[in-house]
Amino acid sequence: MTQLAWSPTGFVNEFYPSFWWIPAGVLTAALAIKLPTIIRLWSDPLLRAVGGVLLVACAVFVFVAPSTIARVNRITGVPNISAPWVYSLLTAFCGSCLLLIIAWRNGLGDRSAATVRAVRWVVAGSLGVIVALWVLFALADAPVERLRDLDTYYANTPYMREMILLYLLAQAVATVITSGLIWNWVRTDGLDAWLRWGLKFLGVGYAAQLSFYAVKLPAVVARWTGHDLDWLSTAVAPPLACLSALLIAVGFILPHAGQYLHERWRVRLAHHRLRPLYLLMRTVNGGGVSFVLRATPELRLIRRETFIRDVLLPLARHIDEDGRHRAYEGALALGFEPDRARALASAVAIQDAVEARRWSTDGEGGHDPDTTDLLREIGAVSRALRRPDDLLAVRARAAGPAPVLSPRTPAAAGPFRRRGRPAESPPPGGVPRGRRGPS
């Protein structure tokens, strides 16, 4: 039995026929994942442009596969007609990426002379190269079908030589320009984190694409000098092309997908953090928010917030404002920050109000407090309810002798009073009456 020596070149040559379907499948999956967002936000031209770039990239890897090349040649009856078709797709991909970077960086509303001139140059240049590719192919004589090594096989053939050199140089120039714009953009201050990471992926992807041309051109030039470096074109360049396409696709998708997932996570986290206060309010109301199977995370968050506020409004009449203030002073004395102390004091006051309402005979409190701050801080109050040990410590401190606070402490400024209202001394029977809180 013969022992086959493993090598990267041998691996690529062995799997070359199916090699191209791997990035094609990944890019198709990325496009399928992105498609619902593109359809839902069809008015966003940047999303449409990203979808177009992904579609062209998928087409490139589908039509560059040897089986597809042979099928296209057979259907048209013209040997090697897949060459100008694939080169045209590659040129369109490079041009569309460059246009997307220009529009993405400058903004769609930018109609400056420099931007308009750059867009026109890119469009005209891409169309000019594509037309020239087809003209050169029509003038060339390439009767022998080559599925893998057309670039090097016809490197010395008139007009085919010019066509191959044209597509390599044109795309290399477009890649250099795009890469320069990207790395210059990465160094800009104030970029969103997801955008910055997307640009870094794009930068690495275009570096890999430049490496693709860096190994393709020497293989073609070697044929001019009578040398054979075909392995650079058939074994080294294909993995670089696949890696480049995948990195570029990730770079274009990551800012949109990352921001979308970050927003989803923020909404779900806010919904989860309201759970302790929501469960406490259910004991008051006797029920909760009805389950809706197809409700969006945003709708579930809004419904939970609305339920909590609707229950807090009547419950606030049972809140002991003096006890709440003592709890705040006790939390400050325990070393909590003012915002945290305010949330702990409100949580203690709400728990006491739930018990007071439960034992109340008429179900009505003795005052009508201003609930603006309380309704605004339901998230902080709910997080405070997750720390029962802190609540017990605040209760114990508030039940003891009142701590002595200096006039500069936050408590002396009235932490539960609405901003902009002058300080008032509450009457012996309770706090001054204010307007009802917002529903």
Side-chain angles (χ1 to χ4, degrees):
M1 180 178 295
T2 303
Q3 183 70 27
L4 297 177
W6 184 90
S7 68
T9 302
F11 175 81
V12 174
N13 289 333
E14 182 178 356
F15 291 98
Y16 191 93
S18 57
F19 189 82
W20 304 97
W21 294 107
I22 298 174
V26 174
L27 290 169
T28 302
L31 180 60
I33 294 172
K34 196 68 180 172
L35 191 59
T37 304
I38 296 174
I39 294 175
R40 187 173 64 254
L41 302 176
W42 184 253
S43 59
D44 188 342
L46 283 179
L47 280 177
R48 295 201 307 268
V50 170
V53 169
L54 290 177
L55 184 61
V56 174
C58 292
V60 168
F61 283 99
V62 169
F63 283 99
V64 81
S67 58
T68 309
I69 292 175
R71 187 174 294 109
V72 171
N73 293 340
R74 185 170 60 252
I75 291 174
T76 59
V78 180
N80 299 312
I81 197 173
S82 287
W85 172 243
V86 171
Y87 297 161
S88 299
L89 288 175
L90 284 169
T91 303
F93 174 73
C94 291
S96 60
C97 288
L98 183 53
L99 286 175
L100 181 56
I101 292 297
I102 293 173
W104 197 1
R105 178 177 181 177
N106 297 344
L108 296 173
D110 184 11
R111 293 293 183 269
S112 63
T115 301
V116 172
R117 186 167 55 251
V119 170
R120 288 176 178 174
W121 272 105
V122 173
V123 173
S126 300
L127 292 177
V129 169
I130 291 173
V131 171
L133 290 173
W134 285 97
V135 171
L136 290 171
F137 178 77
L139 296 173
D141 183 19
V144 180
E145 182 182 62
R146 308 301 297 183
L147 302 181
R148 295 179 53 182
D149 60 347
L150 183 140
D151 293 345
T152 52
Y153 185 86
Y154 286 108
N156 290 315
T157 303
Y159 299 112
M160 287 293 288
R161 174 181 58 237
E162 287 76 10
M163 182 188 73
I164 294 167
L165 188 61
L166 175 62
Y167 103 84
L168 288 175
L169 290 179
Q171 293 169 24
V173 170
T175 303
V176 169
I177 295 173
T178 307
S179 181
L181 290 175
I182 290 170
W183 287 115
N184 186 42
W185 193 5
V186 170
R187 292 191 290 269
T188 304
D189 295 331
L191 290 181
D192 175 76
W194 290 106
L195 176 58
R196 190 179 297 277
W197 275 106
L199 292 175
K200 289 180 179 179
F201 272 99
L202 285 175
V204 177
Y206 279 104
Q209 189 166 325
L210 284 175
S211 301
F212 169 83
Y213 301 118
V215 299
K216 271 281 188 179
L217 281 170
V220 172
V221 173
R223 282 298 188 112
W224 299 349
T225 59
H227 297 84
D228 185 357
L229 293 178
D230 290 7
W231 61 274
L232 287 175
S233 177
T234 58
V236 179
L240 291 175
C242 295
L243 178 63
S244 169
L246 294 178
L247 290 173
I248 290 174
V250 171
F252 280 126
I253 292 174
L254 187 61
H256 298 282
Q259 291 168 3
Y260 172 80
L261 293 176
H262 176 73
E263 182 63 22
R264 291 285 147 180
W265 170 251
R266 187 192 65 80
V267 171
R268 292 183 183 276
L269 184 62
H271 184 270
H272 174 72
R273 285 176 173 174
L274 287 175
R275 179 175 173 79
L277 185 56
Y278 168 72
L279 294 178
L280 182 60
M281 294 300 97
R282 286 187 61 177
T283 63
V284 177
N285 192 59
V289 178
S290 59
F291 177 75
V292 179
L293 181 62
R294 302 187 64 179
T296 63
E298 291 85 358
L299 180 58
R300 287 198 292 269
L301 175 61
I302 291 173
R303 296 181 70 198
R304 176 165 287 189
E305 290 175 340
T306 303
F307 174 82
I308 291 173
R309 291 189 173 102
D310 288 345
V311 179
L312 272 178
L313 277 174
L315 182 66
R317 300 188 183 98
H318 299 273
I319 290 180
D320 180 5
E321 291 295 339
D322 291 336
R324 184 182 178 194
H325 192 76
R326 289 194 303 272
Y328 175 73
E329 293 176 345
L332 287 177
L334 290 172
F336 292 104
E337 295 294 328
D339 290 341
R340 177 66 173 167
R342 187 179 300 111
L344 288 169
S346 297
V348 169
I350 290 174
Q351 287 179 331
D352 293 342
V354 171
E355 291 297 323
R357 180 185 181 278
R358 185 174 302 166
W359 296 104
S360 177
T361 56
D362 56 1
E364 294 292 336
H367 60 282
D368 188 11
D370 183 1
T371 59
T372 303
D373 290 336
L374 184 62
L375 296 177
R376 185 188 299 121
E377 299 172 357
I378 58 175
V381 173
S382 185
R383 290 192 294 272
L385 289 172
R386 291 183 177 273
R387 303 298 297 270
D389 293 341
D390 292 344
L391 297 177
L392 289 176
V394 170
R395 285 183 181 278
R397 187 75 180 194
V404 179
L405 301 176
S406 72
R408 293 187 178 183
T409 57
F416 305 111
R417 196 170 52 250
R418 295 185 62 195
R419 295 175 182 171
R421 291 180 59 182
E424 299 177 357
S425 299
V431 298
R433 294 177 62 86
R435 67 175 183 84
R436 298 285 296 276
S439 57

